[in-house]
Amino acid sequence: RSLADQALGRPTQPDYPTLSSPADYGLSPYAGWTRQHWDELASVILSGVSSFFSPGRARVRIPGHSAHGLQTDCLEGFARSLTIAAARFARGDDSEIYEGPSSADLIDCYRTGLLNGTDPTHKEYWGNISDYDQRIVEAAELSWCLYVAREYLWDPLSSAEKDRVASWLAQVNGKKTVLNNWKLFKVIVNAVLRTLGQPHSEQEF
């Protein structure tokens, strides 16, 4: 605990994992952090996330306060953690994550979740996208991940599976958004759909 926390009677924070990578203040003069630190931190985060996947892998329920309702929060947990995993997939890193005595293949987890989350008949379906919907944000993140890790998340899918994923993402088109960076989210989705050879909206660019 910091002195300020002690003085104000704040609760003790949980212990955080200590990174073992050596600091390099020549390369990183302020923090001493290098790429090794970020790689190690990514492994720590993904190891933690792996224990919160739902049975169908489409939801990652991170403990804590609900911001957008359980269904969307779980989609957010899936999409936000995938942004870390997708970069590692694209680099060809080992996708197996160990949590205690068990292990999980993250490529399989996220690809399975992607298919179930975009399947309206599956109980873990992410739901339809509406105006001012947080799903618009997550659709942009998922699109970026498909682009970055296309070889692992997109290319192995069948034509029918690709159509289903693309159709869910394309629900952002025509939806109202707040007048800020949300406008960019629909651009990202359509740019990726165009790159993947899927139906998209030129009007959203």
Side-chain angles (χ1 to χ4, degrees):
R1 297 173 68 187
S2 68
L3 292 177
D5 287 339
Q6 294 178 45
L8 295 173
R10 292 173 178 156
T12 302
Q13 296 296 315
D15 290 333
Y16 294 103
T18 301
L19 302 184
S20 61
S21 298
D24 186 340
Y25 290 98
L27 183 63
S28 179
Y30 293 103
W33 275 38
T34 65
R35 183 171 184 166
Q36 288 177 291
H37 290 88
W38 294 109
D39 283 341
E40 190 177 349
L41 182 60
S43 294
V44 169
I45 293 172
L46 292 174
S47 292
V49 165
S50 66
S51 62
F52 295 112
F53 273 100
S54 60
R57 301 291 188 261
R59 299 177 179 179
V60 176
R61 186 177 184 180
I62 306 297
H65 176 72
S66 177
H68 309 289
L70 181 59
Q71 184 185 61
T72 305
D73 284 351
C74 290
L75 165 59
E76 188 175 55
F78 180 95
R80 303 294 171 103
S81 59
L82 180 54
T83 59
I84 301 173
R88 290 167 64 90
F89 299 161
R91 204 172 66 184
D93 287 358
D94 185 2
S95 67
E96 195 165 39
I97 289 292
Y98 293 90
E99 175 66 17
S102 61
S103 65
D105 185 321
L106 288 182
I107 292 177
D108 179 69
C109 285
Y110 283 110
R111 195 162 57 212
T112 299
L114 181 68
L115 293 176
N116 289 336
T118 56
D119 182 357
T121 67
H122 196 277
K123 63 181 180 181
E124 294 186 12
Y125 177 56
W126 291 326
N128 296 329
I129 299 175
S130 56
D131 293 337
Y132 307 108
D133 196 330
Q134 180 65 25
R135 293 177 182 86
I136 296 172
V137 183
E138 310 314 324
E141 288 191 290
L142 291 169
S143 298
W144 181 87
C145 294
L146 288 175
Y147 176 76
V148 169
R150 175 177 180 171
E151 178 183 353
Y152 302 93
L153 299 175
W154 177 261
D155 290 347
L157 304 184
S158 68
S159 295
E161 290 169 340
K162 290 177 179 177
D163 289 345
R164 189 169 78 230
V165 172
S167 294
W168 188 86
L169 294 171
Q171 289 184 65
V172 303
N173 293 329
K175 301 302 188 298
K176 297 177 182 179
T177 64
V178 288
L179 297 176
N180 54 24
N181 61 323
W182 277 47
K183 293 293 184 182
L184 180 61
F185 297 144
K186 295 200 289 182
V187 174
I188 293 172
V189 171
N190 283 282
V192 171
L193 289 176
R194 182 172 65 183
T195 300
L196 297 177
Q198 295 297 309
H200 60 280
S201 172
E202 293 289 337
Q203 295 179 337
E204 297 287 2
F205 285 99

